[in-house]
Amino acid sequence: MDGVHDIGGTDGLGPVGYRPEEPLFDNPWERTVFAMSFPAMASGLNLDAFRHGIEKMHPVDYLSSPYYEHWLFTMEKGLVETGLLTEEELRARTQQFLDDPSAPLPQRSDPAAAEAIVGFLRSGAPARREIDAKPAFAPGDRVLVRNLHPKGHTRLAGYLRGKRGVIDAVHGAFVFPDTHAHGLGEQPQHVYTVRFDSVEVWGPGADPRTVNHFDMWESYLVALDGDTDDRAALDR
Amino acid sequence: MSTDHVLPVRPDYNADPTPDPVVVARVKALESLLLEKGVLASETVDRVADLYEKEVGPRNGARAVARAWTDPDFKQRLLADPVAACAELGIGGMQGEDMVVVENTDEVHNVIVCTLCSCYPWPVLGLPPNWYKYPAYRSRIVKDPRALLRGEFELDVPDEKTIKVWDSSAEVRYWVLPQQPPGTEGLSEEELVELITRDSMIGTGLPRTPDSPAGAR
């Protein structure tokens, strides 16, 4: 989707807010949200759906809320969509804690379950998959980024659509977020790092000695050869 | 005409860490429901947070960089297969399942970002700092990295040096192998670890030198 999250190249967002020292979590609620996200995802909310939920925040909220509020939002929406929770019980329970902020949490001790989550974090959850198809591109190939505007989740950033680049690296196949986020399966595709000349991306005023690199799933790209008109390639 | 004095910095995420009571109540509501439904255990929040507060952080990446500076064979392995090389040091896990290490040289400076969300190599750098996750850095570093590094990170990358920006848009996680500071060749691996900052592995800073002021980025 063409959302506010797709923010590369947007002007006017002000200083980066660098803090030389900062705690890992500014508030205890952020710590809770971070940690809860892993059991929440293990209950059936996959990472791509989790990311897409954040993209569906209203742009005003997205830009003005603390980072972990994004995670809270996508868990609330996503766990209603998976059927684990209902909006009614979330609303009612939130009201209870607003009325009585010191109300105790239910106790459910299960140290083995907590260790299992930690073990999962230590080992990781690879998105790499083996597929039969050979990669369509090789390092050095010239490619054009397709001008795609799907309504749902995509990892194709707006600042690179329609731009010409060169395959920099071939990484193997990975779960395709554009389908996986929507319950349409993993449908793994080859992923490539594509490098882009800064002037191609940002126009004639760009710093000529910068190079943008971006990882692209194969279906985001079309081949360019010396004789191909860019416009014709885009229409393939 | 400068408008700096009349326009507020918006959003100023760092201005007031006082939590919003509605957000706090929403978090408790979700936490209590996940506990009741058997999805969350009471011990999980502390165990998971402890992992990143006490164990997994930029010191991991610093260990790998210091090893690479002192052991050319390890450096080759780190650049060729970072996941396997880090595993030699006991480093790996979530958000580091596939990694690429990009090497700074006399000709090239590298910097990482995730414009679409907040992807970051957790096993080597820990969880990302706030500024890495917020819109301003993500929007600006891909467009004019040299100006942003000079203006807000006190890092002057000379005009003749190429800046490569790595936007972590898929499930490959990037991080930077910084150049070893001149004059530190005689230091031990343990001493070198102390010089290797988180920012030097993001690409928004350089390693300290032994005479850098305390707290230097």
Side-chain angles (χ1 to χ4, degrees):
Chain A
M1 61 182 282
D2 292 335
V4 68
H5 68 283
D6 183 4
I7 208 159
T10 298
D11 291 324
L13 289 163
V16 297
Y18 188 91
R19 282 192 281 175
E21 297 291 336
E22 61 179 17
L24 204 55
F25 304 104
D26 275 326
N27 280 293
W29 71 263
E30 299 180 347
R31 190 173 185 270
T32 304
V33 167
F34 171 74
M36 280 196 299
S37 69
F38 303 104
M41 282 192 261
S43 81
L45 180 63
N46 75 54
L47 177 59
D48 296 305
F50 187 96
R51 289 190 182 127
H52 186 48
I54 292 172
E55 296 162 5
K56 289 190 284 190
M57 290 180 81
H58 191 281
V60 171
D61 296 330
Y62 182 96
L63 290 173
S64 57
S65 56
Y67 174 75
Y68 282 110
E69 199 174 317
H70 298 187
W71 288 35
L72 174 63
F73 177 91
T74 191
M75 280 194 276
E76 290 171 335
K77 298 291 181 201
L79 295 174
V80 168
E81 282 174 20
T82 66
L84 182 73
L85 307 175
T86 67
E87 281 185 39
E88 292 69 30
E89 62 189 344
L90 272 172
R91 196 175 299 120
R93 192 62 62 90
T94 300
Q95 189 60 52
Q96 281 179 26
F97 281 106
L98 273 174
D99 294 342
D100 181 6
S102 59
L105 289 166
Q107 285 301 304
R108 182 180 164 273
S109 178
D110 189 347
E115 284 314 309
I117 296 285
V118 170
F120 170 68
L121 292 168
R122 286 190 201 280
S123 59
R128 179 183 289 279
R129 299 289 183 269
E130 295 301 321
I131 62 173
D132 292 334
K134 297 281 178 274
F137 305 109
D141 286 357
R142 294 181 63 239
V143 290
L144 180 67
V145 181
R146 297 179 68 196
N147 184 27
L148 303 172
H149 295 261
K151 299 289 185 214
H153 184 57
T154 185
R155 297 293 285 182
L156 177 53
Y159 75 95
L160 295 169
R161 290 179 196 146
K163 306 298 184 187
R164 293 164 297 188
V166 175
I167 299 290
D168 196 72
V170 181
H171 292 291
F174 289 80
V175 173
F176 188 44
D178 304 36
T179 53
H180 195 227
H182 297 285
L184 299 173
E186 294 191 343
Q187 305 196 30
Q189 298 180 9
H190 288 286
V191 168
Y192 306 87
T193 301
V194 186
R195 66 174 183 269
F196 298 89
D197 181 86
S198 61
V199 176
E200 168 75 8
V201 180
W202 305 113
D207 178 343
R209 286 199 179 80
T210 68
V211 185
N212 289 95
H213 296 74
F214 194 94
D215 288 347
M216 301 256 177
W217 274 264
E218 192 165 283
S219 62
Y220 297 167
L221 299 171
V222 290
L224 270 182
D225 55 55
D227 302 326
T228 310
D229 171 65
D230 289 4
R231 186 55 45 193
L234 267 180
D235 291 340
R236 272 182 208 161
Chain B
M1 188 188 82
S2 169
T3 53
D4 291 351
H5 301 291
V6 289
L7 292 178
V9 173
R10 192 181 300 278
D12 187 357
Y13 306 102
N14 300 324
D16 180 8
T18 305
D20 176 346
V22 175
V23 169
V24 171
R26 285 167 58 196
V27 173
K28 285 188 174 172
L30 182 59
E31 187 178 11
S32 68
L33 289 167
L34 293 182
L35 285 162
E36 285 173 12
K37 289 172 191 288
V39 168
L40 181 67
S42 296
E43 294 86 356
T44 301
V45 169
D46 281 340
R47 283 294 292 119
V48 167
D50 272 5
L51 180 67
Y52 292 98
E53 286 173 332
K54 296 177 181 163
E55 190 178 327
V56 178
R59 198 167 179 86
N60 281 351
R63 285 167 52 216
V65 169
R67 177 69 57 88
W69 286 350
T70 53
D71 178 346
D73 291 338
F74 181 82
K75 178 179 166 183
Q76 288 310 312
R77 295 200 296 280
L78 185 67
L79 291 171
D81 187 348
V83 175
C86 286
E88 295 176 32
L89 304 179
I91 297 166
M94 183 66 75
Q95 290 296 309
E97 298 90 345
D98 286 275
M99 297 193 284
V100 168
V101 174
V102 287
E103 182 184 13
N104 282 352
T105 66
D106 288 343
E107 290 77 35
V108 174
H109 180 83
N110 295 282
V111 63
I112 64 166
V113 64
C114 171
T115 60
L116 295 174
C117 53
S118 53
C119 298
Y120 192 72
W122 292 2
V124 282
L125 296 188
L127 302 182
N130 278 307
W131 56 262
Y132 181 90
K133 303 181 288 192
Y134 282 126
Y137 176 77
R138 290 161 43 203
S139 64
R140 296 171 65 189
I141 195 70
V142 290
K143 197 174 194 175
D144 195 354
R146 203 177 311 267
L148 183 61
L149 294 174
R150 279 180 186 155
E152 301 211 25
F153 290 91
E154 300 168 17
L155 176 62
D156 183 24
V157 182
D159 288 345
E160 58 276 14
K161 196 171 204 177
T162 295
I163 298 182
K164 293 186 174 181
V165 182
W166 302 86
D167 189 344
S168 319
S169 51
E171 294 301 338
V172 179
R173 298 288 166 264
Y174 293 86
W175 52 288
V176 177
L177 175 59
Q179 287 183 287
Q180 183 167 355
T184 62
E185 293 77 10
L187 298 185
S188 69
E189 196 175 321
E190 293 70 27
E191 289 168 323
L192 290 170
V193 166
E194 304 302 325
L195 303 180
I196 299 158
T197 60
R198 175 198 69 199
D199 284 22
S200 73
M201 294 178 281
I202 297 174
T204 53
L206 297 178
R208 298 185 187 108
T209 60
D211 47 7
S212 294
R217 290 175 186 176

